[in-house]
Structure formats: structure tokens, C-alpha cells
Amino acid sequence: MRFDVGLGFVLGVIGLYRLSELPPWWAVVLGLSASAVLAWVWPRTRWMLFLCLGFGWAWFHACPLLCAPFPEGLARAPLVVEGRVASIPGVEAHRTRFLLDVERTWDARGAELDLSGRVRISCYRDCPTLSAGERWRIDVRLKPRHGSLNPGGFDYERWLFEQGLVATGYPRGRDAFARLDTGPGGYWLTRLRQRLAEHLARVLDGSPQRGLIQALTLGERSALERETWETFSRTGTSHLVAISGLHVGLVAGGVFWLARRLWARSTRLTLLLAAPRAAAVFSLLAGFGYAALAGFAISTQRALIMLAVVLGALFWQRTLRPYQALMLALVGVLVWDPGAVLSYGFWLSFGAVAFLLLHLGQRLPGRDLWTRWGRAQWAVGLGLLPLLFLFFGQASLIAPLVNLVAVPLFSAPILPLVLIASLLSLVPVTGFAVPLRLVADGLGWCLNGLDWLAAQPWSAVHLPAQPLWAWGSALLGTVLLLAPRGLPGRWLGWILMLPLVAARPATPGWGEVWFSLLDVGQGQAAVVETQDGILVYDAGPAYPGGFDTGAMMVAPFLRSRGIERIDRLVVSHADRDHAGGAAGLLALVPADDILTGEPARLKLAGAQPCLAGETWVWSGVAFRLLHPKPAELAAGLKGNEASCVLEIRTADQAILLTGDVGARTEERLAEHLGADWRVTVLIAGHHGSATSTSARLLDAARPEWVLFSSGYANQFGFPARAVRERLAARGIPTLNTALDGAIRFRLGPNGWIEAPQGWRTHAGRLWTHRPARPP
């Protein structure tokens, strides 16, 4: 394959997924027709034809998920669906999650709807025992692909789109499930993998390494704890757990070596087929089998295609230049699944190979360990550094050294022992399960070592979000540093990488307030930035299943802004939707002071009560607590009415955060503050409940904007219709985190305001959900 033709196809696929909206079909056809004519008239422009082909191919695969999206009007509506379980159910302490391929759908009145596709169901109680392939009728509430959207945070909607899901939801009622068929249908492989996972769980009952063994053998990672993933991330060893090119390559390579040796021993067999060609066939079959065992996950699909390219060239005795083989594999992966470009693993796996070829491709293999292995780890570690910072905001500083030991250790004894011990455990004879338990104990010792390394503060480093030019400069710098030694100016690579480390996000000037109301679902969290101090108001919810918005949404936002410490954390009150994420946030980003309306109930070390009348000034920005009064707290004020009410003022502009206080407290505040008091932006109380954001407060404060922090299609119906009508009657514009994502704006010392803007609009892509606004 010509390099320019392959590159054109790849750029075409990438180009589609960089758009914010899917273009109409006729525009795609027009582009293809024009490029075909141009390529026929001028053959040198053939790459443009393949660029349009890549674009069109990606459009064809994206359209089923985007051209007919889940109807907005059915979000959280009662539905009945029939379909087959399409995944191994992930059973955790507080929930069971599984994929369902929906075949038929009915509404609450029994009318059949034209709605099908793959959905993700989360069951939190009264969950039946599910098997892959079983057919069920389930009473559910579904919603479109929707997730919280914040700067620096994980794009959940992108992940859902990458997985081919049309909706997510949960069952409704105790009798929501009705089993229709127990057979596996077309999901026999998934059923087999589930039975193997259950067998491993029985053999390793009580072993902390159960999830790790399941991940290595079956690619089933639902049992891995979040702390374990954090360990792998901080030590740069995540690739050892997720079945990918390394795993498939090790299995295929081992089978290739063994098959070639055994085949060459038979003269008759070598006359039929040369030993290397026969070994290529067995190696590909072994890789295919291991990929099947892992459920043909996206990462194994990529690895299998790359393996097929290399072994195919060997079988047909074709000489492939390294970069030609890489390009052929790249195109093969995108032909199979154009959406693979959305996977971070896609870029990391192909990037690792590209940097290895760049650094080692022109050198003769050395005999010493450093040349043969150390340089490889140096190339991968340095080359992927900019990508890791770009994708995850952090990278492991110790990854090259750790992998220098971990990869050979994993390649030679660990993975073969895990696979062999797992196979032995299937033998129904007493004692054959012992090797697997011993291997699990050995993995535990290795994991303890990684835990110790990950706990060191120097193991990984976080970087704030950087401008695009800084990433480009760093990438060019790594290419120069890994280029052949004869290339002049290689030392300039270090200079080109400096912006990635030295550049810092812009910060507020004197008297400026940069305010961000984060999208944390049905909860609240806000970040206030000034020149001299950082304040966080509430930390969002946390859930029994372990999801903590403080650690997973607020902390990543702060780190993307280069903030490593909070000057003052104000937790309005101790309800879970406001305070649940506080502990998780403080574990990652410590705070100097903590104020709350319910210090005894909050149970955070060092928390002090917020008292009306307390004030402080940071670089010309005045902060004032308006509620609760000391006497009210002494009288036992608690719950919503104990919320800290905070006013932030610069010049004649002000922001008011009221927590969850109700209309009666709002009226007392309005009466106390007088007729001249007004605010620029009001954060609606209690997420838009009808009991807050009263007419009296609106008439007294006369806000220019009202912002809601609520969950999409939440069960409470927030913001309430009555509140929306009050605001519409006064002509006050609104934004809602459920519809707009994180909301950001700035106030200046001279009375200027940068109008609030939603992150969903600013950073939206093809897959971004754009909910309809209620009337």
C-alpha cells in the first residue's frame, strides 16, 4: 500500500470525528464524486480520493448511532424492552451492570415503538442471576447517551458512543425482569467466557487477585478495584492488564516458536509446507483464539489485525518495509472499525510501534541488554509521554524503569503461568486448582511492590491543560530526540518539549473572578478562582457503588487548571449531593480551611461552621457569608436550611450561592440586605426546586443570569416548572448543567462580565448529547 494513499484514508476517518455535527449524506456523496473525478483527471490527487473514502466510511459507521438518536421525549419514560444479554454481567457489591441488545420496545400503553440497539442497564437491587445470551423482558427507564461534561474530565458520552450504545438505563420495580429464553442464542462465546469467569471466581474465592486473573485470561475487568487501576496508571503498567498487542503477541510468538520447532522435525511436513509458513498459520490461529477468549475486545481486534498483516506477509513471502506494515495495519483496523480512532488505546498502541521503529528501526540489533531492551523502553516511554499527558492529564515518571523489569517478567513467567494454571484448574481433579492459587499469590506480591511504587509522590506527575501548540511542540521534540543519531539538531528536541512543562494556564488578574459551576449530575460543585485564592463550594455527590464526583470530576478540573491546593472549601451542608464528594476531593487536592453549615454531621477533620457576617478579601474580590447566623446553629438548625449562603462581589458585580435553603430563608435574606442589593449571577437554590428561588428573592436580587445545577432527566423534575415560569416572566436567561455541561464565566473589577457559556457547546463533538430545552 502506498503510504500517501493509506495516510489519506486515515486522515479522512479522523476528520469526521473531529466535527461537531454529522454532515448530510448528500455532502459526503458530493465530496466522493468530486474527488473521484479529480483523481481520474490528475492521478497525483489520488490521496484526496482515499481521504474522502475514509471520511465516507466513517460516516457510514457513525450514522446508525447518530442519524436516528434515542428520542428525547422517552428519556426516563416507563418502557418495556425485549432483548438478549450481550455481555458478561458485571456483578459488584451494590449493582449489576450488563449490555442488552434490544429487539423490541413498547411504551407504557403497550404501543410498540421503533426502538432497538444496544443499551447498558444498571441494576441496583433485586437483580436476578443473568447469563449472557439469555432473552429477557424488562421494565426499564432509559435515557440517551448522556454524561457529565467538564473541562479536564472523562468524556463518558464518547466512551458510550465508542461502545456502540444507544442508551443507558435501569429497571423499574421489583418485578421488572421476566426471563423468556435461557439459551445463549448467538452469544455462545460470551456465555462460554462467563462460565470461565465464574469458574475462576470459584477457584479463587476470597483471593484479592481474582479480578486480575480474570482480566489477564478473559479480558474481564469489572472485578478490578479502582485503586488497582490507579496503581497501574501511576506506574505505567496498565498495558500489562488490558489484553492488547503485548498479550496477543506473546501468545502468538510463543506458538510460532514452538510450531516452527516441531514442524521442522518432520521431513514430510516441511515438504508440504515450509516450517516458517506453517508456524505463521498456527501463530495466527493462536492469536485468534486468545482474542476470542478476550471477547474480541477493541484492543484485541487491533492486535489481531496487526498480527495478520505481519504473518500474512511471512506466509506469502512478501517483504514489507516496517512503516509500510504499520500503515497497512492502521488502515486494516480502521476499515474494520473506524470508531477505533476514539479509543486512547488506538493511539497509544500504534504510537508505541511508530516510536520503536523511529528509534530502533535503522539500527543493527545489539548484544547487550541496554541496546536490545533498554532503548526500546526509552523510546516508548519518551514517545508516549505527550500522549499520556494529553489523554489523562498525568504520566508515570517511573514507567520506563518499571517496565524494564515488569515487561520481561510478565512476558516470560507470569502470563504463560497464568494461562497454563487457568487451564489446569479446569481439570475436574482435586489438586489441579492449586497452581492457579499459587500464581495468584505470586501476583499479589508483585502488586504489593507496584502499590509501594505508586504511593511515592515522585511516581507520577500531573500537568494542567495546555494549548494545542504546546502538544505539537512536544510531539515534534520527541520525534527529534528519538530520531537517528546522525540527524543534525537532535538536541533541539529538549527545547521543543519545554513548553509542555513550563506553560501554565492563564490565571485571573487583580479583582477578577473566574467562576465554574461544574456538571456533577444531581448535585452541586463550583470552583471560584481569584488571583490570590481558590475556593470550592460543594463537592458533588458520592454513591455506594464507589463513584465519587469529588475525586472523578472536581479534582480533574482543578488539576487541568494547574491547581494543586484549595485555599477554602465551603461545603454548604452535609447532604450527600453536596458533601458526598468532599472526602474524595480532599484525598487528591488538600484544602487549607473547611467551612460548612453542619460541621458535626459532615465529619471532616478541621471543619468549622460558616457563620453569617464572616468576610474575607482576595486580590480585590470580597467574600461574605450571609447565612446561617450563630444563634440559628446554636438552636440546632440542620439540613437544607443550614446551608452556607455565600456572596462573591467585585466592583458592582456579584455571584450568590444559596445551597439548598428554602423560600423562607431567602425572604429573610432579601429583607435584611435591603433595596439596593442586587447580584449578577444567582445559582438557583436546591437545584431548581419549587421551594427555592422564590419570587421575593428574584425581585430583591434582580439577577442577570440564573444557573441551575441538576441531573439530566432527574427523577425530581428539577428545575421545577414553577421556577422556570418565574424566571421567564421576568425575562431572566438561564443555563443548566444538565443541558449545558459545566458553566463558566468571568467577572472583572471594572464591572464587565463575560457571559456564562456551557462546556457542552464549547467542546461538543459528533457524539455529544445536545438535550432539548424544556418549554
Side-chain angles (χ1 to χ4, degrees), residues 320-326 351-366 371-372 375-380 479 481-485 490:
L320 283 178
R321 295 178 180 176
Y323 285 104
Q324 186 181 17
L326 180 64
V353 176
F355 284 117
L356 281 172
L357 291 177
L358 175 66
H359 191 58
L360 302 176
Q362 307 302 321
R363 291 183 173 90
L364 293 175
T371 302
R372 301 179 66 179
R375 285 189 177 276
Q377 292 306 313
W378 163 253
V380 173
V479 170
L481 291 172
L482 297 176
R485 291 182 178 177
R490 288 176 66 246

mmCIF file of all heavy atoms in Angstrom, residues 320-326 351-366 371-372 375-380 479 481-485 490:
data_model
loop_
_atom_site.group_PDB
_atom_site.id
_atom_site.type_symbol
_atom_site.label_atom_id
_atom_site.label_comp_id
_atom_site.label_asym_id
_atom_site.label_seq_id
_atom_site.Cartn_x
_atom_site.Cartn_y
_atom_site.Cartn_z
ATOM 1 N N LEU A 320 7.804 -6.613 3.606
ATOM 2 C CA LEU A 320 7.153 -5.366 3.974
ATOM 3 C C LEU A 320 8.137 -4.469 4.708
ATOM 4 O O LEU A 320 8.796 -4.903 5.656
ATOM 5 C CB LEU A 320 5.953 -5.635 4.887
ATOM 6 C CG LEU A 320 4.665 -6.167 4.249
ATOM 7 C CD1 LEU A 320 3.624 -6.403 5.335
ATOM 8 C CD2 LEU A 320 4.123 -5.204 3.205
ATOM 9 N N ARG A 321 8.247 -3.248 4.234
ATOM 10 C CA ARG A 321 9.021 -2.288 4.993
ATOM 11 C C ARG A 321 8.280 -1.989 6.293
ATOM 12 O O ARG A 321 7.050 -2.019 6.330
ATOM 13 C CB ARG A 321 9.225 -1.011 4.183
ATOM 14 C CG ARG A 321 10.063 -1.228 2.934
ATOM 15 C CD ARG A 321 10.189 0.058 2.148
ATOM 16 N NE ARG A 321 10.999 -0.146 0.941
ATOM 17 C CZ ARG A 321 11.217 0.793 0.032
ATOM 18 N NH1 ARG A 321 10.686 2.008 0.200
ATOM 19 N NH2 ARG A 321 11.960 0.540 -1.023
ATOM 20 N N PRO A 322 9.013 -1.692 7.364
ATOM 21 C CA PRO A 322 8.346 -1.524 8.665
ATOM 22 C C PRO A 322 7.205 -0.512 8.641
ATOM 23 O O PRO A 322 6.120 -0.794 9.145
ATOM 24 C CB PRO A 322 9.496 -1.067 9.576
ATOM 25 C CG PRO A 322 10.723 -1.654 8.954
ATOM 26 C CD PRO A 322 10.482 -1.608 7.478
ATOM 27 N N TYR A 323 7.458 0.660 8.044
ATOM 28 C CA TYR A 323 6.410 1.677 8.049
ATOM 29 C C TYR A 323 5.261 1.294 7.118
ATOM 30 O O TYR A 323 4.114 1.668 7.339
ATOM 31 C CB TYR A 323 6.994 3.035 7.650
ATOM 32 C CG TYR A 323 7.804 3.662 8.753
ATOM 33 C CD1 TYR A 323 9.188 3.672 8.713
ATOM 34 C CD2 TYR A 323 7.182 4.225 9.855
ATOM 35 C CE1 TYR A 323 9.940 4.238 9.740
ATOM 36 C CE2 TYR A 323 7.909 4.790 10.892
ATOM 37 C CZ TYR A 323 9.289 4.794 10.819
ATOM 38 O OH TYR A 323 10.017 5.346 11.844
ATOM 39 N N GLN A 324 5.564 0.540 6.066
ATOM 40 C CA GLN A 324 4.506 0.060 5.188
ATOM 41 C C GLN A 324 3.605 -0.925 5.940
ATOM 42 O O GLN A 324 2.382 -0.884 5.825
ATOM 43 C CB GLN A 324 5.112 -0.615 3.950
ATOM 44 C CG GLN A 324 4.099 -1.023 2.899
ATOM 45 C CD GLN A 324 4.759 -1.719 1.712
ATOM 46 O OE1 GLN A 324 5.898 -2.176 1.800
ATOM 47 N NE2 GLN A 324 4.052 -1.774 0.602
ATOM 48 N N ALA A 325 4.217 -1.816 6.733
ATOM 49 C CA ALA A 325 3.438 -2.764 7.531
ATOM 50 C C ALA A 325 2.592 -2.026 8.560
ATOM 51 O O ALA A 325 1.425 -2.377 8.787
ATOM 52 C CB ALA A 325 4.373 -3.751 8.223
ATOM 53 N N LEU A 326 3.169 -1.001 9.180
ATOM 54 C CA LEU A 326 2.421 -0.231 10.172
ATOM 55 C C LEU A 326 1.228 0.464 9.528
ATOM 56 O O LEU A 326 0.115 0.446 10.077
ATOM 57 C CB LEU A 326 3.348 0.793 10.820
ATOM 58 C CG LEU A 326 2.714 1.683 11.894
ATOM 59 C CD1 LEU A 326 2.268 0.855 13.090
ATOM 60 C CD2 LEU A 326 3.688 2.773 12.332
ATOM 61 N N GLY A 351 1.137 4.404 18.376
ATOM 62 C CA GLY A 351 2.213 5.341 18.680
ATOM 63 C C GLY A 351 3.442 4.633 19.211
ATOM 64 O O GLY A 351 4.581 4.976 18.849
ATOM 65 N N ALA A 352 3.241 3.629 20.068
ATOM 66 C CA ALA A 352 4.376 2.885 20.618
ATOM 67 C C ALA A 352 5.168 2.197 19.513
ATOM 68 O O ALA A 352 6.406 2.245 19.485
ATOM 69 C CB ALA A 352 3.879 1.858 21.636
ATOM 70 N N VAL A 353 4.451 1.573 18.573
ATOM 71 C CA VAL A 353 5.131 0.898 17.460
ATOM 72 C C VAL A 353 5.875 1.908 16.593
ATOM 73 O O VAL A 353 7.023 1.677 16.173
ATOM 74 C CB VAL A 353 4.127 0.086 16.621
ATOM 75 C CG1 VAL A 353 4.814 -0.528 15.408
ATOM 76 C CG2 VAL A 353 3.476 -0.995 17.467
ATOM 77 N N ALA A 354 5.232 3.029 16.311
ATOM 78 C CA ALA A 354 5.861 4.049 15.460
ATOM 79 C C ALA A 354 7.143 4.580 16.091
ATOM 80 O O ALA A 354 8.166 4.755 15.413
ATOM 81 C CB ALA A 354 4.875 5.186 15.198
ATOM 82 N N PHE A 355 7.116 4.847 17.402
ATOM 83 C CA PHE A 355 8.304 5.377 18.062
ATOM 84 C C PHE A 355 9.406 4.322 18.159
ATOM 85 O O PHE A 355 10.596 4.654 18.092
ATOM 86 C CB PHE A 355 7.943 5.919 19.439
ATOM 87 C CG PHE A 355 7.247 7.247 19.391
ATOM 88 C CD1 PHE A 355 5.953 7.395 19.848
ATOM 89 C CD2 PHE A 355 7.890 8.356 18.863
ATOM 90 C CE1 PHE A 355 5.311 8.619 19.794
ATOM 91 C CE2 PHE A 355 7.263 9.598 18.795
ATOM 92 C CZ PHE A 355 5.961 9.720 19.259
ATOM 93 N N LEU A 356 9.024 3.063 18.323
ATOM 94 C CA LEU A 356 10.017 1.996 18.303
ATOM 95 C C LEU A 356 10.706 1.919 16.950
ATOM 96 O O LEU A 356 11.933 1.776 16.856
ATOM 97 C CB LEU A 356 9.358 0.657 18.637
ATOM 98 C CG LEU A 356 9.088 0.377 20.117
ATOM 99 C CD1 LEU A 356 8.264 -0.898 20.266
ATOM 100 C CD2 LEU A 356 10.385 0.261 20.889
ATOM 101 N N LEU A 357 9.917 2.019 15.867
ATOM 102 C CA LEU A 357 10.503 1.976 14.532
ATOM 103 C C LEU A 357 11.397 3.187 14.293
ATOM 104 O O LEU A 357 12.463 3.078 13.688
ATOM 105 C CB LEU A 357 9.393 1.935 13.478
ATOM 106 C CG LEU A 357 8.570 0.647 13.410
ATOM 107 C CD1 LEU A 357 7.465 0.781 12.374
ATOM 108 C CD2 LEU A 357 9.455 -0.545 13.082
ATOM 109 N N LEU A 358 10.961 4.333 14.785
ATOM 110 C CA LEU A 358 11.752 5.546 14.598
ATOM 111 C C LEU A 358 13.093 5.440 15.308
ATOM 112 O O LEU A 358 14.136 5.810 14.758
ATOM 113 C CB LEU A 358 10.974 6.752 15.134
ATOM 114 C CG LEU A 358 11.707 8.101 15.135
ATOM 115 C CD1 LEU A 358 11.986 8.556 13.701
ATOM 116 C CD2 LEU A 358 10.893 9.151 15.883
ATOM 117 N N HIS A 359 13.079 4.914 16.528
ATOM 118 C CA HIS A 359 14.293 4.908 17.342
ATOM 119 C C HIS A 359 15.198 3.713 17.048
ATOM 120 O O HIS A 359 16.424 3.823 17.111
ATOM 121 C CB HIS A 359 13.908 4.904 18.821
ATOM 122 C CG HIS A 359 15.065 5.158 19.736
ATOM 123 N ND1 HIS A 359 15.845 6.296 19.672
ATOM 124 C CD2 HIS A 359 15.592 4.420 20.753
ATOM 125 C CE1 HIS A 359 16.781 6.256 20.577
ATOM 126 N NE2 HIS A 359 16.662 5.126 21.256
ATOM 127 N N LEU A 360 14.599 2.563 16.738
ATOM 128 C CA LEU A 360 15.395 1.343 16.573
ATOM 129 C C LEU A 360 15.370 0.783 15.163
ATOM 130 O O LEU A 360 16.123 -0.143 14.862
ATOM 131 C CB LEU A 360 14.889 0.253 17.535
ATOM 132 C CG LEU A 360 14.899 0.577 19.024
ATOM 133 C CD1 LEU A 360 14.289 -0.573 19.806
ATOM 134 C CD2 LEU A 360 16.307 0.855 19.502
ATOM 135 N N GLY A 361 14.504 1.315 14.334
ATOM 136 C CA GLY A 361 14.308 0.705 13.018
ATOM 137 C C GLY A 361 15.527 0.737 12.131
ATOM 138 O O GLY A 361 15.723 -0.154 11.296
ATOM 139 N N GLN A 362 16.398 1.715 12.294
ATOM 140 C CA GLN A 362 17.569 1.839 11.419
ATOM 141 C C GLN A 362 18.851 1.347 12.087
ATOM 142 O O GLN A 362 19.933 1.549 11.559
ATOM 143 C CB GLN A 362 17.733 3.318 10.999
ATOM 144 C CG GLN A 362 16.477 3.934 10.387
ATOM 145 C CD GLN A 362 16.002 3.184 9.160
ATOM 146 O OE1 GLN A 362 16.827 2.732 8.353
ATOM 147 N NE2 GLN A 362 14.692 3.036 9.001
ATOM 148 N N ARG A 363 18.728 0.714 13.274
ATOM 149 C CA ARG A 363 19.926 0.282 13.979
ATOM 150 C C ARG A 363 20.066 -1.233 13.916
ATOM 151 O O ARG A 363 19.076 -1.965 13.961
ATOM 152 C CB ARG A 363 19.867 0.730 15.441
ATOM 153 C CG ARG A 363 19.987 2.243 15.600
ATOM 154 C CD ARG A 363 19.989 2.576 17.088
ATOM 155 N NE ARG A 363 20.278 3.991 17.302
ATOM 156 C CZ ARG A 363 19.352 4.923 17.367
ATOM 157 N NH1 ARG A 363 18.103 4.601 17.209
ATOM 158 N NH2 ARG A 363 19.677 6.184 17.559
ATOM 159 N N LEU A 364 21.277 -1.693 13.865
ATOM 160 C CA LEU A 364 21.522 -3.132 13.952
ATOM 161 C C LEU A 364 21.279 -3.576 15.387
ATOM 162 O O LEU A 364 21.588 -2.854 16.332
ATOM 163 C CB LEU A 364 22.971 -3.440 13.550
ATOM 164 C CG LEU A 364 23.319 -3.180 12.083
ATOM 165 C CD1 LEU A 364 24.816 -3.417 11.870
ATOM 166 C CD2 LEU A 364 22.514 -4.073 11.148
ATOM 167 N N PRO A 365 20.688 -4.756 15.577
ATOM 168 C CA PRO A 365 20.423 -5.213 16.942
ATOM 169 C C PRO A 365 21.709 -5.411 17.720
ATOM 170 O O PRO A 365 22.677 -5.972 17.221
ATOM 171 C CB PRO A 365 19.688 -6.544 16.730
ATOM 172 C CG PRO A 365 20.099 -6.992 15.363
ATOM 173 C CD PRO A 365 20.300 -5.746 14.556
ATOM 174 N N GLY A 366 21.724 -4.908 18.932
ATOM 175 C CA GLY A 366 22.897 -5.037 19.772
ATOM 176 C C GLY A 366 22.832 -6.286 20.626
ATOM 177 O O GLY A 366 21.792 -6.889 20.799
ATOM 178 N N THR A 371 20.969 -2.063 24.819
ATOM 179 C CA THR A 371 20.641 -1.790 23.418
ATOM 180 C C THR A 371 19.386 -2.538 22.995
ATOM 181 O O THR A 371 18.536 -1.997 22.291
ATOM 182 C CB THR A 371 21.817 -2.178 22.512
ATOM 183 O OG1 THR A 371 22.969 -1.449 22.916
ATOM 184 C CG2 THR A 371 21.507 -1.874 21.062
ATOM 185 N N ARG A 372 19.257 -3.776 23.406
ATOM 186 C CA ARG A 372 18.152 -4.595 22.933
ATOM 187 C C ARG A 372 16.846 -4.307 23.665
ATOM 188 O O ARG A 372 15.789 -4.478 23.105
ATOM 189 C CB ARG A 372 18.515 -6.068 23.083
ATOM 190 C CG ARG A 372 19.765 -6.455 22.320
ATOM 191 C CD ARG A 372 20.115 -7.907 22.497
ATOM 192 N NE ARG A 372 19.107 -8.777 21.901
ATOM 193 C CZ ARG A 372 19.182 -10.108 21.907
ATOM 194 N NH1 ARG A 372 20.209 -10.696 22.486
ATOM 195 N NH2 ARG A 372 18.244 -10.826 21.350
ATOM 196 N N ARG A 375 16.783 0.573 25.325
ATOM 197 C CA ARG A 375 16.437 1.604 24.349
ATOM 198 C C ARG A 375 14.982 1.503 23.916
ATOM 199 O O ARG A 375 14.354 2.518 23.628
ATOM 200 C CB ARG A 375 17.361 1.500 23.133
ATOM 201 C CG ARG A 375 18.763 2.032 23.375
ATOM 202 C CD ARG A 375 19.555 2.095 22.088
ATOM 203 N NE ARG A 375 20.864 2.665 22.305
ATOM 204 C CZ ARG A 375 21.121 3.976 22.336
ATOM 205 N NH1 ARG A 375 20.146 4.836 22.163
ATOM 206 N NH2 ARG A 375 22.349 4.413 22.537
ATOM 207 N N ALA A 376 14.466 0.289 23.864
ATOM 208 C CA ALA A 376 13.054 0.123 23.491
ATOM 209 C C ALA A 376 12.151 0.788 24.532
ATOM 210 O O ALA A 376 11.193 1.504 24.194
ATOM 211 C CB ALA A 376 12.720 -1.355 23.353
ATOM 212 N N GLN A 377 12.449 0.555 25.828
ATOM 213 C CA GLN A 377 11.640 1.167 26.875
ATOM 214 C C GLN A 377 11.808 2.694 26.876
ATOM 215 O O GLN A 377 10.849 3.429 27.132
ATOM 216 C CB GLN A 377 12.033 0.590 28.231
ATOM 217 C CG GLN A 377 11.649 -0.871 28.404
ATOM 218 C CD GLN A 377 10.179 -1.101 28.142
ATOM 219 O OE1 GLN A 377 9.315 -0.372 28.634
ATOM 220 N NE2 GLN A 377 9.870 -2.116 27.348
ATOM 221 N N TRP A 378 12.993 3.160 26.596
ATOM 222 C CA TRP A 378 13.234 4.604 26.499
ATOM 223 C C TRP A 378 12.415 5.202 25.370
ATOM 224 O O TRP A 378 11.779 6.251 25.538
ATOM 225 C CB TRP A 378 14.712 4.854 26.289
ATOM 226 C CG TRP A 378 15.058 6.224 25.767
ATOM 227 C CD1 TRP A 378 15.467 6.545 24.515
ATOM 228 C CD2 TRP A 378 15.003 7.458 26.494
ATOM 229 N NE1 TRP A 378 15.676 7.890 24.397
ATOM 230 C CE2 TRP A 378 15.393 8.491 25.604
ATOM 231 C CE3 TRP A 378 14.658 7.795 27.782
ATOM 232 C CZ2 TRP A 378 15.449 9.814 25.981
ATOM 233 C CZ3 TRP A 378 14.711 9.132 28.169
ATOM 234 C CH2 TRP A 378 15.114 10.113 27.267
ATOM 235 N N ALA A 379 12.388 4.540 24.216
ATOM 236 C CA ALA A 379 11.645 5.053 23.064
ATOM 237 C C ALA A 379 10.157 5.116 23.356
ATOM 238 O O ALA A 379 9.490 6.126 23.070
ATOM 239 C CB ALA A 379 11.916 4.182 21.832
ATOM 240 N N VAL A 380 9.610 4.035 23.918
ATOM 241 C CA VAL A 380 8.173 4.008 24.209
ATOM 242 C C VAL A 380 7.825 4.999 25.314
ATOM 243 O O VAL A 380 6.846 5.752 25.219
ATOM 244 C CB VAL A 380 7.740 2.578 24.597
ATOM 245 C CG1 VAL A 380 6.290 2.572 25.074
ATOM 246 C CG2 VAL A 380 7.894 1.638 23.417
ATOM 247 N N VAL A 479 10.027 13.338 18.540
ATOM 248 C CA VAL A 479 10.472 12.778 17.258
ATOM 249 C C VAL A 479 11.946 13.091 17.026
ATOM 250 O O VAL A 479 12.723 12.224 16.602
ATOM 251 C CB VAL A 479 9.605 13.329 16.109
ATOM 252 C CG1 VAL A 479 10.205 12.963 14.754
ATOM 253 C CG2 VAL A 479 8.185 12.797 16.210
ATOM 254 N N LEU A 481 14.246 13.741 19.357
ATOM 255 C CA LEU A 481 15.085 13.042 20.328
ATOM 256 C C LEU A 481 15.234 11.560 20.007
ATOM 257 O O LEU A 481 16.250 10.948 20.325
ATOM 258 C CB LEU A 481 14.496 13.207 21.729
ATOM 259 C CG LEU A 481 14.574 14.617 22.328
ATOM 260 C CD1 LEU A 481 13.791 14.698 23.626
ATOM 261 C CD2 LEU A 481 16.028 15.016 22.568
ATOM 262 N N LEU A 482 14.232 10.983 19.376
ATOM 263 C CA LEU A 482 14.277 9.552 19.054
ATOM 264 C C LEU A 482 14.751 9.279 17.635
ATOM 265 O O LEU A 482 14.847 8.124 17.225
ATOM 266 C CB LEU A 482 12.887 8.932 19.261
ATOM 267 C CG LEU A 482 12.346 8.968 20.687
ATOM 268 C CD1 LEU A 482 10.937 8.421 20.739
ATOM 269 C CD2 LEU A 482 13.261 8.184 21.626
ATOM 270 N N ALA A 483 15.030 10.345 16.895
ATOM 271 C CA ALA A 483 15.490 10.180 15.518
ATOM 272 C C ALA A 483 16.897 9.581 15.496
ATOM 273 O O ALA A 483 17.605 9.553 16.513
ATOM 274 C CB ALA A 483 15.476 11.534 14.804
ATOM 275 N N PRO A 484 17.337 9.058 14.339
ATOM 276 C CA PRO A 484 18.696 8.506 14.227
ATOM 277 C C PRO A 484 19.749 9.518 14.660
ATOM 278 O O PRO A 484 19.592 10.728 14.488
ATOM 279 C CB PRO A 484 18.814 8.178 12.731
ATOM 280 C CG PRO A 484 17.409 7.935 12.289
ATOM 281 C CD PRO A 484 16.564 8.886 13.089
ATOM 282 N N ARG A 485 20.839 9.038 15.204
ATOM 283 C CA ARG A 485 21.866 9.905 15.791
ATOM 284 C C ARG A 485 22.507 10.845 14.783
ATOM 285 O O ARG A 485 22.992 11.902 15.141
ATOM 286 C CB ARG A 485 22.951 9.051 16.437
ATOM 287 C CG ARG A 485 22.489 8.325 17.675
ATOM 288 C CD ARG A 485 23.614 7.538 18.303
ATOM 289 N NE ARG A 485 23.188 6.870 19.528
ATOM 290 C CZ ARG A 485 23.964 6.072 20.238
ATOM 291 N NH1 ARG A 485 25.219 5.831 19.832
ATOM 292 N NH2 ARG A 485 23.517 5.507 21.342
ATOM 293 N N ARG A 490 19.385 17.254 16.877
ATOM 294 C CA ARG A 490 18.533 16.422 17.725
ATOM 295 C C ARG A 490 18.362 17.036 19.116
ATOM 296 O O ARG A 490 17.317 16.871 19.746
ATOM 297 C CB ARG A 490 19.119 15.014 17.858
ATOM 298 C CG ARG A 490 18.996 14.183 16.596
ATOM 299 C CD ARG A 490 19.675 12.829 16.738
ATOM 300 N NE ARG A 490 19.011 11.986 17.721
ATOM 301 C CZ ARG A 490 19.549 11.598 18.871
ATOM 302 N NH1 ARG A 490 20.773 12.005 19.192
ATOM 303 N NH2 ARG A 490 18.882 10.817 19.697
#
